[in-house]
Amino acid sequence: SSIIQWLDDIQNVLTRSKSLEGRADARQPRYTARLSTAYDFVEGWLKNWGVGATYQWSKALVVGYPYLPGNPGLFDANRPYLGDDVNMLGAFASYRFKVLKRYNCRAQLNVDNLSGDDDLHPIVKVDRGDGQPVVSRYSLAGGRNFVLSGSIEF
């Protein structure tokens, strides 16, 4: 009985997956935009310093599908459940200097997620049986991230 149930479960998964054939990969956002701006100070007391800002937006990902009405064995790929749009602000500051009077160097500190997004975001929604979604898995936003980097020009 358990082997028969296991084979039925595999058949159900394959049938549902087949109903999504020809669809774009739902793990990739359909639209994404990234903007960046920077300013380097060339004179005055901030000479050799640079500042900048970044913004990233991604369209919500598909996080699930309802079942076709009257056929719980197939997904309705024309009515996907969507997660949240991604909006991320960042900033950076850099300093340029010379080492041994010969090599141009730069140190830069980047700060991502300035808005401090630490909310839960849905990553999987399932059909509760009536076409309405129920979130079954969440992801915690990455939090604020600091990255210090350096470069040397030869």
Side-chain angles (χ1 to χ4, degrees):
S1 168
S2 63
I3 292 178
I4 293 172
Q5 181 61 41
W6 182 73
L7 291 173
D8 283 345
D9 290 344
I10 291 175
Q11 180 63 40
N12 289 338
V13 168
L14 291 174
T15 301
R16 287 187 192 123
S17 297
K18 190 144 179 77
S19 67
L20 298 177
E21 272 186 0
R23 296 288 171 183
D25 185 354
R27 297 168 296 179
Q28 300 296 322
R30 184 167 182 172
Y31 303 106
T32 299
R34 297 170 195 255
L35 304 172
S36 179
T37 186
Y39 183 79
D40 289 324
F41 295 94
V42 293
E43 60 187 13
W45 65 277
L46 287 176
K47 183 177 180 179
N48 296 331
W49 283 93
V51 294
T54 60
Y55 173 74
Q56 175 184 334
W57 168 83
S58 295
K59 181 77 174 138
L61 295 176
V62 172
V63 295
Y65 295 93
Y67 293 120
L68 278 171
N71 190 348
L74 297 175
F75 290 121
D76 184 352
N78 294 318
R79 297 186 305 126
Y81 299 144
L82 299 177
D84 298 333
D85 283 1
V86 173
N87 292 283
M88 188 83 67
L89 289 173
F92 58 89
S94 64
Y95 184 71
R96 293 184 182 279
F97 56 96
K98 285 197 180 272
V99 172
L100 303 174
K101 298 182 183 180
R102 180 175 172 184
Y103 301 107
N104 293 322
C105 300
R106 185 180 83 189
Q108 182 168 315
L109 177 65
N110 289 38
V111 183
D112 295 326
N113 193 10
L114 281 178
S115 59
D117 181 8
D118 58 0
D119 295 334
L120 292 173
H121 298 279
I123 57 171
V124 176
K125 292 181 182 178
V126 295
D127 189 333
R128 67 179 190 195
D130 62 357
Q132 296 302 310
V134 174
V135 178
S136 65
R137 290 169 94 189
Y138 288 93
S139 173
L140 185 61
R144 190 163 291 139
N145 190 30
F146 296 86
V147 177
L148 180 62
S149 62
S151 64
I152 300 173
E153 294 178 15
F154 292 78

